[in-house]
Amino acid sequence: MAGTAKMASLAMTALKSNFSSLKRPYKLNFCVTYWCQSACLTCKIYEIRPKGELTIEEIRKFAERNSYFQWIELTGGEPFLRSDIVEIAKAFKESCKDLYLMTMPTNSLCNISMVEKRLREILSLQIPRFVVTVSLDGWRELHDKIRGVQGNFDKAMQVYGMIQKLKKEHMNVDAVFGYTMSKFNQGQFEQTYQAVKQLYPDVTYNDFHINLAQASENYYKNEEMDIRPDYGMAAKEVEYFLTKRSRSADPMIIIENAFLKKLVEFAKTGKSPMRSRSLEASLYLDSWGNVYPSIMWNRKIGNIKEVDYDLSKLWHSEPAKEVRKDIKDGKQPSEWTSCEAYQALTGNMLSLL
Ligand code: SF4
């Protein structure tokens, strides 16, 4: 299927989720490794020294037995620390015939030549759309302080520049900056934007994605940390950011702007602005094979190794049904992250108007 047909197929699945419950998920949030060489003030993933993470053979089996994903986020840790990251992308590309979109964050701390080589190999797989989120939490000194690594800002700029060059050769690649708003950088977005603009004059507000720092037991392992920004201030800062972003007929921009409007609502109320689509449209798979509804919901459904890598056996299990019932009864955790929000938005198209 060509790229446009795959995009249309993904849009149809999202549309269908407005009118009926999906039989299987279309989006996979997969943490490929918890290894990370950063030392962020907002997250404790870097303290884990993971052992026994899924091997490439196990990931291949999972991809072969669950070949219906149309959108895959390969996250970490730092995904490029996996020497087999290209093989992982290839496993999903070869098995998931309708795969349209693959996204991946990076902390920009790996050797840039190695990242470029691996990216080129991934792009040659011809996944119709591949988006790298370059993490950026502040201007030079602020970013380095939050990330705990001297020189990280400059490395992030180099990675962004490298992807801009790749865009000239590969139509399917794009890069955005991922800004996590926390108590450490609240009120600093505009200055961060201007710092990037000095180096990349063509950058626009649409090249940034904002998330609010949130606590998660099963993913960031940061539930004990005091990281949240003042939500009142954060709401104002996101509202300001929204006024700077351009409107467009591009579905991705429409969805992103809707995400931000709801982020303001979340910051003002502290409550999820929409019904979760976890374990209906999406799931979170960690690097040991454990399945959760989302990165923010520490409610393990099972492990893919226990079911011979066939997710359907967990999908129809009692624990999964209980999660769906809790969501229906309004008992979902308060969260609004990009891992889950887009499925909620596209599953309720009226929210995009
Ligand atoms: S936020 Fe990302 S880069 Fe920072 S410690 Fe966590 S996984 Fe690593």
Side-chain angles (χ1 to χ4, degrees):
M1 224 197 299
T4 36
K6 287 180 183 180
M7 184 175 71
S9 169
L10 174 56
M12 279 308 293
T13 308
L15 186 64
K16 215 170 128 195
S17 72
N18 281 252
F19 306 107
S20 56
S21 293
L22 298 175
K23 301 259 174 316
R24 54 198 190 184
Y26 66 86
K27 185 183 179 201
L28 172 67
N29 296 304
F30 176 27
C31 178
V32 293
T33 183
Y34 273 76
W35 282 105
C36 181
Q37 68 286 58
S38 195
C40 296
L41 295 176
T42 52
C43 167
K44 279 202 173 161
I45 285 181
Y46 73 92
E47 288 186 355
I48 302 170
R49 292 285 176 265
K51 289 202 177 85
E53 297 188 302
L54 293 173
T55 63
I56 183 61
E57 289 74 26
E58 291 173 318
I59 294 169
R60 265 195 212 110
K61 266 190 218 161
F62 176 77
E64 280 162 15
R65 288 174 199 180
N66 308 281
S67 58
Y68 37 77
F69 293 108
Q70 296 174 283
W71 178 359
I72 298 175
E73 162 93 356
L74 298 180
T75 188
E78 171 52 40
F80 283 105
L81 281 177
R82 272 201 77 137
S83 57
D84 54 5
I85 190 68
V86 180
E87 290 306 306
I88 293 173
K90 192 172 174 198
F92 285 109
K93 160 69 176 142
E94 286 181 350
S95 294
C96 301
K97 300 297 175 207
D98 288 348
L99 179 64
Y100 170 67
L101 175 61
M102 188 173 273
T103 51
M104 194 188 288
T106 181
N107 63 20
S108 304
L109 291 173
C110 289
N111 176 288
I112 191 165
S113 308
M114 179 271 277
V115 171
E116 181 173 348
K117 182 174 175 291
R118 289 184 180 161
L119 254 182
R120 282 182 181 280
E121 286 169 11
I122 291 174
L123 294 176
S124 70
L125 299 172
Q126 305 277 321
I127 296 163
R129 192 158 185 181
F130 189 86
V131 182
V132 181
T133 304
V134 178
S135 298
L136 189 76
D137 294 344
W139 30 272
R140 181 174 281 107
E141 292 79 9
L142 181 62
H143 179 72
D144 291 359
K145 189 173 158 207
I146 293 173
R147 294 264 148 178
V149 180
Q150 194 91 34
N152 197 168
F153 176 91
D154 292 330
K155 286 187 171 161
M157 293 304 111
Q158 286 163 13
V159 167
Y160 184 76
M162 178 265 286
I163 299 172
Q164 294 310 305
K165 280 192 203 131
L166 280 182
K167 275 170 83 168
K168 292 184 182 138
E169 297 167 40
H170 297 271
M171 301 267 292
N172 56 340
V173 69
D174 211 346
V176 291
F177 288 109
Y179 185 88
T180 301
M181 199 175 276
S182 66
K183 68 180 264 192
F184 306 106
N185 61 3
Q186 61 187 25
Q188 299 299 315
F189 175 75
E190 178 61 23
Q191 201 178 329
T192 303
Y193 172 75
Q194 293 302 337
V196 177
K197 188 96 179 151
Q198 273 189 4
L199 297 165
Y200 293 104
D202 292 341
V203 84
T204 73
Y205 289 92
N206 285 19
D207 297 314
F208 282 76
H209 170 79
I210 292 185
N211 252 320
L212 290 192
Q214 291 169 57
S216 153
E217 265 181 295
N218 59 324
Y219 180 54
Y220 297 116
K221 320 282 185 197
N222 61 353
E223 68 282 8
E224 306 286 309
M225 296 167 85
D226 175 22
I227 56 167
R228 294 180 183 207
D230 175 288
Y231 272 14
M233 272 180 74
K236 283 192 186 127
E237 208 170 354
V238 178
E239 270 171 340
Y240 166 82
F241 174 58
L242 255 169
T243 64
K244 296 285 185 179
R245 286 174 58 87
S246 64
R247 305 289 180 265
S248 141
D250 179 341
M252 295 307 281
I253 293 179
I254 292 172
I255 294 170
E256 183 66 17
N257 286 345
F259 165 79
L260 289 164
K261 276 186 207 154
K262 294 288 180 192
L263 190 63
V264 172
E265 204 178 312
F266 173 68
K268 284 181 176 168
T269 63
K271 292 192 182 130
S272 302
M274 296 185 79
R275 179 168 77 82
S276 169
R277 296 290 173 143
S278 298
L279 290 197
E280 186 192 331
S282 62
L283 66 139
Y284 171 55
L285 175 68
D286 78 11
S287 57
W288 295 280
N290 298 311
V291 173
Y292 298 88
S294 75
I295 62 166
M296 306 298 292
W297 201 348
N298 191 12
R299 194 146 147 196
K300 187 173 147 185
I301 302 305
N303 188 295
I304 54 164
K305 295 186 202 177
E306 295 158 1
V307 289
D308 203 18
Y309 305 91
D310 179 358
L311 187 62
S312 69
K313 291 178 185 152
L314 296 178
W315 207 248
H316 302 294
S317 66
E318 280 311 309
K321 285 179 192 162
E322 281 163 22
V323 165
R324 288 184 201 109
K325 182 173 181 313
D326 280 355
I327 292 173
K328 214 171 157 196
D329 294 344
K331 293 186 201 157
Q332 65 189 58
S334 291
E335 59 169 315
W336 192 243
T337 68
S338 47
C339 290
E340 270 70 48
Y342 299 123
Q343 300 85 276
L345 288 162
T346 52
N348 182 348
M349 296 275 182
L350 291 176
S351 67
L352 301 176
L353 298 177

